[in-house]
Amino acid sequence: MNVLVIGNGGREHALAWKLAQSPRVKRVYVAPGNAGTAVEAVNVHLPLDDFPKLIQFARAQDVALTVVGPEAPLADGIVDAFRAEGLRIFGPTKAAARLEGSKVFCKDLLRDADVPTADYLVFSDPDEACRYVRERYPDQEQEVPLVVKADGLAAGKGVIVCSRREEVLEAIDQIARQRVFGEAGRELVIEERLDGHEASVLAITDGRTIVTLPPAQDHKPAYDGDRGPNTGGMGAYCPAPLVGETMLSWIEAHVLVPTVHAMKRKGAPFQGVLYAGLMITRQGPKVLEYNVRFGDPECQPLLMRLKTDLAEVLEAAAECRLDRIGGLEWDPRPAVCVVMASEGYPGKYAKGRPIRGLDDAAGLPDVKVFHAGTALADGQVVTSGGRVLGVTALGDSIAAAKRQAYTAVKCIRWPGAWCRKDISDKALG
Ligand code: AMP
Ligand code: GLY
């Protein structure tokens, strides 16, 4: 069959690479793709938000399965649009994608389903929100462990973690009055700040059966030691020893299963990737947020380890017959993915810098360089985004996988290239 992957990041390169390995797959198309997907698949110059054109393309090229990478087209109803035309697609409907698209929807669902999460309140009036904060924390100097979140999608930036009352009031002002995240700030969630370590637990579900993937850990802050501004994720590794087998079963039973059931009860059955962003606290795992897609960069080390035919699994999920797929098979070796970024990221960054050394890195054993923000210019691979590459390696231990990933990183260069040096150290410490 022919497969279409929607998106242009490292996650989509990993998906295309893995799907292309399937004996069932004849051709993989990626819309719009990057310089990496151009090698392993066929790039299609169509924007992700032009559903009629994407549908027309899928029809014309006999695409039997479409796989959606990012959240925006899911929140905009790409799955509903494809299904309405009788096309098979893997991902949640617009109604189900609200789990990521609305923090209020997500928190209310978690509360109704009795899934552990931070205590919270919802506000639509900033004055009322500020009044609440001042009344509850009358002492300006005291510690105020609160998190302020814009309800809607804000490219991962709509969450402000605070420890002082003035920070909370400023966050409310920015989100709800200044509307720095636009309409996403029409409603606010104010919740208690949780302390602990974060982990990502993803599952593939058809709405009835859940296949839980091994736990992973992302690195969101830009700089070593988790300092600096938040990014889309500077690296990830899998499995994360922080979540052992017992805890993973607990998360499946007390987080994922009740969520899938609650979505069904709401009339929005969830099919696709259910990604729980968790804080492992002293009281156990609590949900920070849900995403409705593969994580980027978590997808890269996950798929590096997957031995089962991904096309078969996603097709089964899209057809509601995941119960007939046996468990997934994983490479026992851990994988580490180091993101190489452009100078200036996550702020403004330059584009168009030629990347050297990709072939040297690709020649190393157990290494795969996934492209994210890359493009082809006159036959040259150049930078075109903030997160440029996801250099991923397998190893007999996390330490060995880390060493191999950084050996590959050293082969690659362009002016201003940088990365975190401590990806996966949390697992080692
Ligand atoms: P979210 O988009 O909800 O995952 O939030 C982004 C990041 O903000 C998370 O990865 C956490 O690092 C942090 N965060 C969100 N909610 C909380 C919370 N209740 N307590 C502490 N940190 C949080
Ligand atoms: N790695 C975080 C995310 O995909 O949202």
Side-chain angles (χ1 to χ4, degrees):
M1 64 172 169
N2 292 336
V3 177
L4 171 63
V5 176
I6 310 267
N8 61 355
R11 165 182 51 209
E12 288 77 23
H13 186 191
L15 286 166
W17 168 77
K18 193 72 212 168
L19 288 165
Q21 290 170 12
S22 166
R24 317 155 66 83
V25 171
K26 201 162 81 196
R27 189 167 266 181
V28 180
Y29 297 101
V30 187
N34 57 38
T37 61
V39 176
E40 268 130 10
V42 179
N43 284 352
V44 184
H45 297 288
L46 289 175
L48 334 158
D49 56 358
D50 194 339
F51 300 167
K53 285 244 170 66
L54 291 167
I55 285 168
Q56 200 179 30
F57 175 85
R59 269 256 162 67
Q61 300 305 322
D62 216 5
V63 168
L65 178 67
T66 298
V67 179
V68 187
E71 62 276 17
L74 294 168
D76 290 341
I78 192 170
V79 168
D80 313 64
F82 269 62
R83 292 220 179 112
E85 298 292 327
L87 291 165
R88 204 199 277 129
I89 184 163
F90 172 76
T93 58
K94 182 173 181 158
R98 288 191 73 203
L99 204 50
E100 177 168 356
S102 166
K103 305 247 187 234
V104 175
F105 176 87
C106 176
K107 295 293 291 192
D108 288 351
L109 183 119
L110 291 171
R111 188 181 51 196
D112 293 349
D114 239 340
V115 173
T117 189
D119 286 336
Y120 70 103
L121 289 169
V122 176
F123 294 93
S124 45
D125 176 359
D127 297 338
E128 207 178 295
C130 291
R131 203 155 43 237
Y132 162 79
V133 173
R134 287 205 181 89
E135 273 167 22
R136 181 154 166 221
Y137 298 96
D139 178 2
Q140 243 207 83
E141 298 310 312
Q142 86 187 101
E143 162 91 7
V144 179
L146 292 179
V147 181
V148 185
K149 302 184 171 186
D151 173 55
L153 288 179
K157 296 193 185 113
V159 174
I160 302 172
V161 181
C162 307
S163 47
R164 298 258 149 252
R165 198 179 79 180
E166 291 319 301
E167 288 173 336
V168 178
L169 298 175
E170 169 73 15
I172 295 169
D173 183 62
Q174 290 285 308
I175 294 173
R177 292 202 192 94
Q178 313 294 330
R179 294 282 173 97
V180 293
F181 307 116
E183 282 301 286
R186 267 196 336 156
E187 281 195 294
L188 286 176
V189 172
I190 298 185
E191 66 179 37
E192 64 171 321
R193 195 184 72 208
L194 300 175
D195 290 315
H197 295 284
E198 288 183 49
S200 308
V201 173
L202 286 69
I204 295 172
T205 176
D206 60 9
R208 293 190 308 207
T209 303
I210 289 175
V211 178
T212 304
L213 312 184
Q217 195 171 44
D218 189 11
H219 297 66
K220 283 200 180 116
Y223 310 131
D224 287 12
D226 280 347
R227 284 171 302 111
N230 256 334
T231 68
M234 294 302 297
Y237 64 94
C238 165
L242 170 68
V243 179
E245 231 164 273
T246 313
M247 192 188 280
L248 191 63
S249 303
W250 190 93
I251 290 165
E252 190 174 281
H254 295 91
V255 173
L256 301 173
V257 168
T259 299
V260 169
H261 282 163
M263 290 298 285
K264 217 187 312 178
R265 279 200 304 275
K266 279 234 173 211
F270 192 95
Q271 183 184 97
V273 174
L274 184 59
Y275 163 154
L278 300 163
M279 185 73 88
I280 312 302
T281 72
R282 270 190 297 193
Q283 294 91 43
K286 294 189 181 187
V287 176
L288 290 174
E289 63 160 350
Y290 269 122
N291 294 319
V292 300
R293 47 168 176 85
F294 281 106
D296 190 344
E298 292 96 320
C299 185
Q300 290 84 311
L302 269 165
L303 293 188
M304 190 84 174
R305 297 185 58 225
L306 181 65
K307 288 189 152 175
T308 310
D309 182 341
L310 181 66
E312 199 174 321
V313 178
L314 300 187
E315 204 183 8
E319 288 182 342
C320 284
R321 49 176 180 79
L322 261 186
D323 56 338
R324 273 172 269 159
I325 290 268
L328 303 187
E329 203 194 328
W330 299 93
D331 192 317
R333 293 174 297 168
V336 171
C337 169
V338 177
V339 169
M340 294 182 74
S342 292
E343 188 176 10
Y345 177 77
K348 267 203 184 130
Y349 52 82
K351 295 184 187 180
R353 307 232 158 119
I355 304 172
R356 318 235 177 256
L358 286 167
D359 290 341
D360 297 339
L364 294 169
D366 299 320
V367 166
K368 177 70 194 170
V369 179
F370 294 112
H371 289 225
T374 68
L376 284 169
D378 303 325
Q380 270 248 39
V381 179
V382 300
T383 65
S384 71
R387 292 192 293 170
V388 177
L389 301 169
V391 182
T392 311
L394 288 163
D396 288 329
S397 60
I398 291 179
K402 177 190 173 188
R403 261 196 312 276
Q404 188 69 345
Y406 280 104
T407 302
V409 163
K410 283 207 191 84
C411 298
I412 302 170
R413 62 208 173 272
W414 71 85
W418 65 278
C419 65
R420 271 182 69 157
K421 299 287 187 298
D422 63 345
I423 300 303
S424 81
D425 282 2
K426 273 186 264 188
L428 305 172

